[in-house]
């Protein structure tokens, strides 16, 4: 049965034997029964639906006549129109009414859109919209038909809007603009449609037209006596302050293949004429390869071999000398996956991997190790802090990947610190992900390293899209303690003794923490080597290098403000603390603390050391960072509060003294 257009029905859809539904009011009765297929509809509801609030005295009799006429028209299928004591129902298969099929597909499409599956959403919504043949229940009279017409029209408009959003995410900006022009003309006051038009223009590189579209929207809304809403105003401000580098590249992409003769259109928006001329005029850009052992402040490169042989025994303590951590350890399964993806891209198959982990856990080191030997591939490393187009050496390669341009060799694009990208760059990264999974030119392997999801609205959606669309989502766990100990031994140049093994355990699987602390100990001549075994005084281990505090801040950043507040109170209690003590300091019950503590444990900021009575910070760096984030006066007040709480609990004097500082 078809309700999405002129009302029509068939007794045998395969043979298209159309039912003669008869005059207008009989059709109205059938429309109510079809719209509520397989449900009991009372006679009174049918009368109200067809005649409204003032039915004629003959309405019930007329209803019987219409139902009898419909049964006769249904012929051998007359039993489908069943009667109850005071009701009727039309029995049809689950897929027998186009309006119901439209609503099911529309719901599936909107759910997929919310999950970031743009392609799946577009397919479902395209199927839903294809069922429409004109205004719903066209020509059917009565209050029910009028209300149902408006309801279905609103759902169709929502489906068209969702379809356009999916198209935008898939990079089909031109097609979306064409489909939206008629809709905007039909619904000039519909702000979300105006927003989509502005986004399509912006992502096509037509920034000036996007701003003009906002002015058009404002004029149309003013004619209705209203101003643009918050979403439309926010988008307008975003366009006004759009990252010029990203906007410029978007304009180049919209114009076609990246060539030097297109740069004159955008050179004033970016780094200046000379820079962009150099970047885009190269017909064969220099291959940029990831270094085998790249070292940055936030990302160490841990050791690869087992602990080196100890130096020759000596009876006299010798100061240790730092060794560069230039080898890689562990991560066997993760390396195997990366090597498989590299093999695939060399064979012509694109790929996508999102690597997630705490700051310093070894994401960059893992990727550098995997890419240190990638023969036959062009490897392009991009820093999230600088943006996709922040490096003139790699900008043309990123732009070429966005257009799907052909290349003499497969492309591996590594975006490190993805979480640091601006929102416009994140949206372009999504387009890159689409290209990687459905390459149009040279195969593309897109790799991204990110800290655990924190703030922002775009990053979580992109993460979901990677999972839903078949990319690899990989969370890098802490490095096993044995590997961390080997790294410490490599840095100090000797086999770790008990104190340095304790450092490895307290590192909580974070190789950056262990490597930085070990290197700091060596620089301070705090490491003693006796008979090939390296030891250090306990007091020296408590000194956290300043360079690690920013790393710890990155680990703490994803936590909620409430969890960080609780953890600061815990940090005042020391590297280890009891939940009862924390409750006394915060004035909260154990139940009230559970949410914050569960969050901290899930983020591996706090761990259970195995005593069954205490919790502990994963490493001294996190403990110190929480305290350093407090002003001196606030820290002093918190220490006094903690000392009073411990005194109330009857803690030993030395414990109270340690907390009070």
């Amino acid at each position: 049965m078809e309700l999405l257009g002129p009302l029509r029905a068939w007794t045998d859809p395969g043979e298209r034997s159309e039912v003669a539904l008869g005059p207008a009011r009989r059709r109205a009765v059938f429309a109510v029964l079809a719209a509520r297929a397989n449900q009991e509809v009372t006679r009174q509801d049918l009368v109200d639906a067809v005649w409204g609030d003032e039915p004629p005295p003959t309405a019930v009799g007329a209803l019987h006549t219409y139902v009898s006429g419909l049964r006769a028209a249904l012929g051998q299928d007359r039993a489908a129109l069943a009667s109850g004591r005071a009701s009727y129902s039309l029995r049809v298969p689950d897929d027998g009414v186009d309006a119901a099929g439209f609503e099911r597909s529309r719901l599936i499409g909107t759910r997929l859109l919310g999950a970031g599956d743009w392609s799946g959403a577009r397919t479902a919504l395209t199927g839903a919209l294809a069922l429409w043949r004109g205004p719903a229940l066209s020509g059917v009279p009565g209050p029910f038909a009028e209300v149902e017409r408006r309801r279905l029209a609103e759902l169709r408009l929502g489906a068209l809007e969702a379809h356009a959003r999916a198209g935008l995410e898939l990079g089909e900006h031109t097609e979306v603009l064409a489909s939206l022009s008629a809709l905007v003309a039909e619904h000039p006051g519909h702000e979300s449609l105006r927003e989509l038009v502005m986004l399509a223009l912006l992502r096509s590189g037509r920034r000036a037209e996007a701003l003009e579209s906002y002015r058009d929207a404002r004029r149309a809304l003013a004619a209705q006596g209203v101003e643009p809403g918050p979403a439309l105003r926010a988008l307008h401000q975003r366009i006004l302050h759009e990252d010029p580098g990203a906007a410029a590249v978007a304009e180049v992409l919209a114009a076609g293949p990246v060539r030097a003769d297109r740069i004159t259109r955008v050179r004033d928006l970016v780094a200046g004429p000379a820079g962009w001329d150099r970047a885009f005029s190269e017909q064969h850009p220099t291959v940029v390869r990831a270094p085998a052992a790249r070292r940055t402040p936030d990302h160490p490169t841990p050791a690869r071999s087992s602990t080196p042989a100890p130096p020759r025994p000596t009876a006299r303590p010798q100061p240790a000398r730092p060794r560069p951590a230039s080898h890689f350890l562990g991560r066997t399964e993760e390396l195997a996956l990366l090597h498989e993806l590299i093999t695939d891209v060399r064979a012509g198959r694109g790929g996508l991997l999102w690597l997630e982990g705490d700051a310093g856990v070894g994401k960059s080191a893992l990727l550098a190790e995997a890419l240190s030997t990638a023969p036959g591939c062009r490897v392009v490393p991009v820093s999230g802090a600088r943006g996709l187009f922040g490096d003139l050496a790699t900008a043309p390669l990123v732009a070429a990947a966005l257009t799907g341009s052909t290349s003499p060799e497969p492309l591996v694009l590594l975006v490190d610190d993805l979480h640091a990208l601006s929102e416009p760059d994140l949206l372009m990264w999504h387009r890159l992900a689409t290209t990687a999974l459905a390459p149009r030119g040279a195969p593309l392997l897109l790799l991204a390293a990110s800290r655990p999801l924190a703030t922002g609205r775009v990053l979580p959606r992109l993460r979901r899209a990677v999972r839903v669309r078949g990319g690899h989502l990989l969370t890098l766990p802490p490095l096993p303690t044995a590997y961390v100990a080997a790294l410490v031994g490599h840095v100090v140049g000797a086999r770790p003794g008990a104190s340095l093994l304790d450092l490895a355990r307290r590192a909580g699987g974070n190789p950056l923490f262990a490597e930085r602390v070990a290197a700091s100990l060596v620089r301070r001549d705090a490491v003693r080597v006796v008979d090939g075994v390296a030891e250090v005084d306990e007091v020296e281990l408590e000194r956290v290098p300043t360079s690690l505090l920013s790393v710890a801040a990155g680990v703490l950043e994803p936590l909620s403000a409430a969890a960080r507040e609780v953890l600061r109170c815990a940090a005042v209690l020391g590297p280890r603390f009891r939940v009862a003590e924390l409750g006394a300091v915060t004035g909260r019950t154990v139940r009230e603390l559970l949410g914050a503590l569960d969050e901290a444990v899930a983020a591996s900021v706090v761990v259970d050391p195995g005593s069954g009575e205490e919790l502990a910070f994963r490493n001294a760096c996190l403990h110190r960072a929480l305290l350093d984030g407090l002003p001196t006066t606030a820290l002093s007040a918190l220490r006094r509060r903690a000392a009073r709480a411990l005194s109330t609990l009857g803690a030993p004097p030395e414990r109270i003294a340690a907390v009070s500082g």
Side-chain angles (χ1 to χ4, degrees):
M1 299 174 190
E2 294 182 352
L3 279 63
L4 304 179
L7 181 65
R8 303 177 72 183
W10 291 267
T11 56
D12 186 348
E15 297 181 5
R16 306 296 284 178
S17 302
E18 189 166 357
V19 177
L21 296 176
R25 281 219 169 92
R26 194 166 87 180
R27 297 170 67 84
V29 171
F30 186 82
V32 177
L33 294 171
R36 299 181 179 176
N38 303 311
Q39 301 177 39
E40 299 286 338
V41 183
T42 67
R43 293 190 182 99
Q44 187 59 53
D45 285 346
L46 279 168
V47 169
D48 294 342
V50 175
W51 284 278
D53 295 332
E54 298 181 359
T58 59
V60 174
L63 180 61
H64 284 290
T65 301
Y66 294 149
V67 171
S68 297
L70 288 171
R71 284 201 178 104
L74 289 170
Q76 62 182 5
D77 292 330
R78 61 187 297 117
L81 208 172
S83 299
R85 293 186 60 185
S87 64
Y88 300 99
S89 64
L90 187 62
R91 305 300 179 186
V92 299
D94 290 341
D95 59 349
V97 182
D98 61 353
F102 161 73
E103 293 198 51
R104 282 194 298 269
S105 296
R106 180 194 65 85
L107 183 59
I108 291 171
T110 53
R111 284 176 176 171
L112 291 174
L113 188 67
D117 184 358
W118 324 125
S119 181
R122 183 182 58 177
T123 299
L125 292 166
T126 298
L129 294 167
L131 296 172
W132 284 76
R133 298 165 292 103
L137 299 172
S138 178
V140 177
F144 171 83
E146 184 59 35
V147 171
E148 188 70 356
R149 231 185 328 267
R150 287 198 300 268
R151 185 185 75 86
L152 289 169
E154 290 175 2
L155 291 179
R156 179 176 180 268
L157 183 59
L160 287 166
E161 179 184 335
H163 188 270
R165 288 190 184 278
L168 278 181
E169 298 296 345
L170 291 169
E172 299 171 353
H173 310 134
T174 302
E175 296 86 342
V176 168
L177 283 171
S179 66
L180 287 176
S181 57
L183 276 178
V184 170
E186 186 179 349
H187 305 277
H190 201 294
E191 291 195 41
S192 57
L193 293 177
R194 297 279 190 176
E195 179 186 353
L196 289 175
V197 170
M198 292 168 63
L199 278 173
L201 290 168
L202 176 64
R203 296 183 188 179
S204 298
R206 298 155 65 179
R207 183 170 175 270
E209 292 176 65
L211 293 171
E212 180 59 35
S213 177
Y214 175 79
R215 289 189 285 269
D216 288 343
R218 188 170 186 177
R219 285 191 290 267
L221 292 168
Q224 301 177 14
V226 295
E227 285 291 317
L232 208 59
R233 292 199 305 271
L235 178 57
H236 179 234
Q237 290 300 312
R238 173 183 152 195
I239 296 172
L240 287 174
H241 300 95
E242 180 68 289
D243 176 7
V249 174
E251 185 173 344
V252 174
L253 296 175
V258 179
R259 298 200 305 267
D261 58 0
R262 300 194 188 279
I263 303 311
T264 55
R265 300 170 52 198
V266 298
R267 57 175 46 167
D268 292 335
L269 295 175
V270 206
W276 279 98
D277 276 345
R278 285 197 307 272
F280 283 92
S281 63
E282 294 289 340
Q283 296 299 316
H284 302 287
T286 303
V287 175
V288 181
R289 296 199 177 276
R294 186 162 58 88
R295 300 287 304 280
T296 65
D298 285 340
H299 300 280
T301 305
R304 177 169 55 195
S305 62
S306 59
T307 306
R312 294 177 62 182
T314 174
R316 181 181 178 184
Q318 298 293 326
R321 292 291 178 260
R323 294 189 180 185
S326 57
H327 300 288
F328 191 80
L329 262 176
R331 310 297 192 194
T332 306
E333 293 182 5
E334 293 87 351
L335 274 176
L337 174 59
L338 281 162
H339 288 150
E340 181 181 337
L341 291 173
I342 292 169
T343 300
D344 284 348
V345 77
R346 290 173 58 197
R349 297 182 293 273
L352 172 61
L353 181 137
W354 177 302
L355 180 64
E356 186 174 283
D358 288 339
V361 79
K363 303 183 297 294
S364 297
L366 171 65
L367 292 171
E369 175 69 14
L371 295 175
S372 61
T373 55
C377 295
R378 173 179 290 174
V379 180
V380 181
V382 176
S383 165
R386 298 192 63 181
L388 290 179
F389 308 99
D391 190 330
L392 293 177
T394 60
L397 299 175
V398 176
L402 279 163
T403 61
S405 301
T406 59
S407 171
E409 56 185 340
L411 185 67
V412 180
L413 180 59
L414 164 60
V415 183
D416 205 357
D417 288 334
L418 180 76
H419 54 272
L421 285 178
S422 66
E423 184 170 310
D425 271 4
L426 283 173
L427 295 172
M428 286 197 179
W429 183 90
H430 173 258
R431 181 170 171 179
L432 282 167
T434 302
T435 302
L437 294 174
R440 292 167 293 179
L444 169 65
L445 172 57
L446 181 61
L447 306 175
S450 173
R451 292 180 187 173
L453 295 186
T455 56
R457 62 185 181 90
V458 177
L459 206 61
R461 291 174 59 194
L462 295 186
R463 187 182 187 276
R464 286 196 303 271
V466 170
R467 183 182 67 252
V468 169
R469 301 181 63 187
H472 295 274
L473 187 59
L474 185 62
T475 299
L476 200 61
L479 193 66
T481 301
Y483 292 138
V484 177
L487 169 62
V488 170
H490 184 77
V491 172
V492 302
R495 181 161 54 89
S499 57
L500 290 178
L501 288 175
D502 185 48
L503 166 63
R505 285 190 292 270
R506 290 160 60 180
N510 190 300
L512 177 60
F513 173 81
E515 187 245 337
R516 290 280 179 84
V517 172
S520 175
L521 292 169
V522 172
R523 283 194 300 272
R524 300 198 308 268
D525 286 335
V527 180
R528 305 180 308 278
V529 179
V530 179
D531 294 333
V533 177
E535 293 285 5
V536 65
D537 292 336
E538 177 66 25
V539 67
E540 295 289 347
L541 289 177
E542 300 300 325
R543 297 175 59 183
V544 177
T546 304
S547 61
L548 280 174
L549 295 180
S550 62
V551 179
V555 175
L556 296 169
E557 182 183 5
L559 296 175
S560 66
R564 287 197 297 271
E565 179 186 354
V566 168
L567 288 175
R568 287 193 184 98
C569 294
V572 169
L573 291 169
R576 297 189 177 209
F577 59 92
R578 297 173 184 265
V579 177
E581 294 174 343
L582 182 58
V585 175
T586 60
R588 303 183 189 184
T589 65
V590 173
R591 182 182 296 274
E592 291 170 334
L593 290 171
L594 282 180
L597 291 176
D598 283 346
E599 188 178 344
V601 170
S604 295
V605 173
V606 168
V607 296
D608 181 354
S611 66
E613 299 180 353
E614 294 179 314
L615 292 175
F617 287 98
R618 192 180 76 196
N619 56 51
C621 181
L622 293 168
H623 178 233
R624 163 82 178 277
L626 285 162
L627 297 178
D628 279 15
L630 287 171
T632 304
T633 53
L635 179 58
S636 298
L638 191 54
R639 288 190 184 281
R640 288 194 297 271
R641 190 204 310 174
R644 287 195 299 270
L646 290 179
S647 178
T648 302
L649 292 175
E654 59 272 16
R655 171 81 167 131
I656 297 173
V659 166
S660 60

